[in-house]
Amino acid sequence: EVQLVESGGGVVRPGGSLRLSCAASGFIFDDYGMTWVRQVPGKGLEWVSGISWNGGSTAYADSLKGRFTISRDNAKSSLYLQMNSLRAEDTALYHCVRIGYSTTKGAFDVWGQGTMVTVSS
Amino acid sequence: DIVMTQSPDSLAVSLGERATINCKSSQSVFYSSNNKNYLAWYQQKPGQPPKLLIYWASTRESGVPDRFSGSGSGTGFTLTISSLQAEDVAVYYCQQYYDTPYSFGQGTKLEIK
């Protein structure tokens, strides 16, 4: 079964850091680009960041540049999101998502359940 | 940045009737080099992550019922559910993956009339 399982969410103070992880299984991880999408509960979807199959190409939402870093470890079939200088507006459910292509230019075909990040003092 | 705008924001349709959701992009998401529209549709039910329904604007994802269809090109797209079933109650999103930052429409909430 193709599966993505996120971890690492929690409550953090403004200005703090968190590292999200995503464990992939059931498919050849390094055949696919990967991405993070976040959703404030009850609201819409916001694309956060994407990475190509070998990590050679990355992209970020404009509002996040310099604060978030996406990375992957193909040997561990894992995706990561390092989040620094967190703000209240970063509070959301963060989904790990597979892109149906080796680059980042593809539809998002497999979604994890998400890990909740709450930024609050 | 490409802005995606869906209409309507909410929609109530009777069981067995047709449901139509529209999506407009602020610039074309069509690549002439490969003749593809970089546009996808997703379905999200309460408490679940989104599910991919349609990609390349009109290609149905494996396992998606054939009552779901996508059409359009360039800047205007449509998701059609030909005969609404009770299990289709959800929020539907369009998304462009033509250029970063990738962007989603605001969502259309589909209910039973």
Side-chain angles (χ1 to χ4, degrees), chain B residues 7-83:
Chain B
S7 61
D9 290 333
S10 63
L11 181 63
V13 175
S14 300
L15 290 172
E17 296 299 305
R18 178 183 301 260
T20 301
I21 299 170
N22 298 301
C23 174
K24 286 188 178 181
S25 56
S26 60
Q27 65 188 73
S28 176
V29 298
F30 177 74
Y31 256 123
S32 56
S33 59
N34 60 4
N35 205 36
K36 290 184 182 297
N37 287 283
Y38 284 59
L39 188 285
W41 288 96
Y42 302 86
Q43 175 193 64
Q44 187 175 30
K45 297 181 179 180
Q48 297 183 18
K51 172 188 174 184
L52 176 64
L53 295 176
I54 303 284
Y55 58 98
W56 302 132
S58 60
T59 301
R60 201 178 301 114
E61 174 73 333
S62 175
V64 173
D66 61 7
R67 64 180 180 272
F68 291 90
S69 64
S71 63
S73 184
T75 61
F77 302 90
T78 300
L79 174 69
T80 301
I81 307 172
S82 60
S83 177

Side-chain angles (χ1 to χ4, degrees), chain A residues 36-55:
Chain A
W36 291 95
V37 175
R38 68 185 182 183
Q39 184 172 32
V40 174
K43 302 297 184 182
L45 302 168
E46 181 185 14
W47 176 78
V48 172
S49 180
I51 188 168
S52 61
W53 69 277
N54 63 354

Side-chain angles (χ1 to χ4, degrees), chain A residues 2 7 9 11 16 20 26 28 35-36 47-48 50 52-55 58 62-63 74 76 83-84 91 98 104 112 117:
Chain A
V2 174
S7 59
V11 180
L20 305 185
I28 301 173
T35 192
W36 291 95
W47 176 78
V48 172
S52 61
W53 69 277
N54 63 354
T58 60
D62 293 341
S63 61
N74 287 346
K76 295 182 178 180
M83 304 187 297
N84 299 329
T91 294
R98 188 180 82 173
T104 58
V117 172

Side-chain angles (χ1 to χ4, degrees), chain B residues 6-11 106-110:
Chain B
Q6 292 179 226
S7 61
D9 290 333
S10 63
L11 181 63
Q106 79 275 19
T108 295
K109 186 175 184 179
L110 178 58

Side-chain angles (χ1 to χ4, degrees), chain A residues 1-74:
Chain A
E1 179 191 5
V2 174
Q3 198 171 9
L4 298 169
V5 179
E6 303 91 338
S7 59
V11 180
V12 61
R13 295 191 185 281
S17 298
L18 275 179
R19 189 193 194 208
L20 305 185
S21 299
C22 171
S25 59
F27 64 98
I28 301 173
F29 185 67
D30 53 7
D31 276 353
Y32 295 89
M34 298 294 295
T35 192
W36 291 95
V37 175
R38 68 185 182 183
Q39 184 172 32
V40 174
K43 302 297 184 182
L45 302 168
E46 181 185 14
W47 176 78
V48 172
S49 180
I51 188 168
S52 61
W53 69 277
N54 63 354
S57 175
T58 60
Y60 299 89
D62 293 341
S63 61
L64 304 175
K65 281 180 182 174
R67 297 193 300 124
F68 289 15
T69 303
I70 191 171
S71 62
R72 63 189 295 162
D73 184 338
N74 287 346

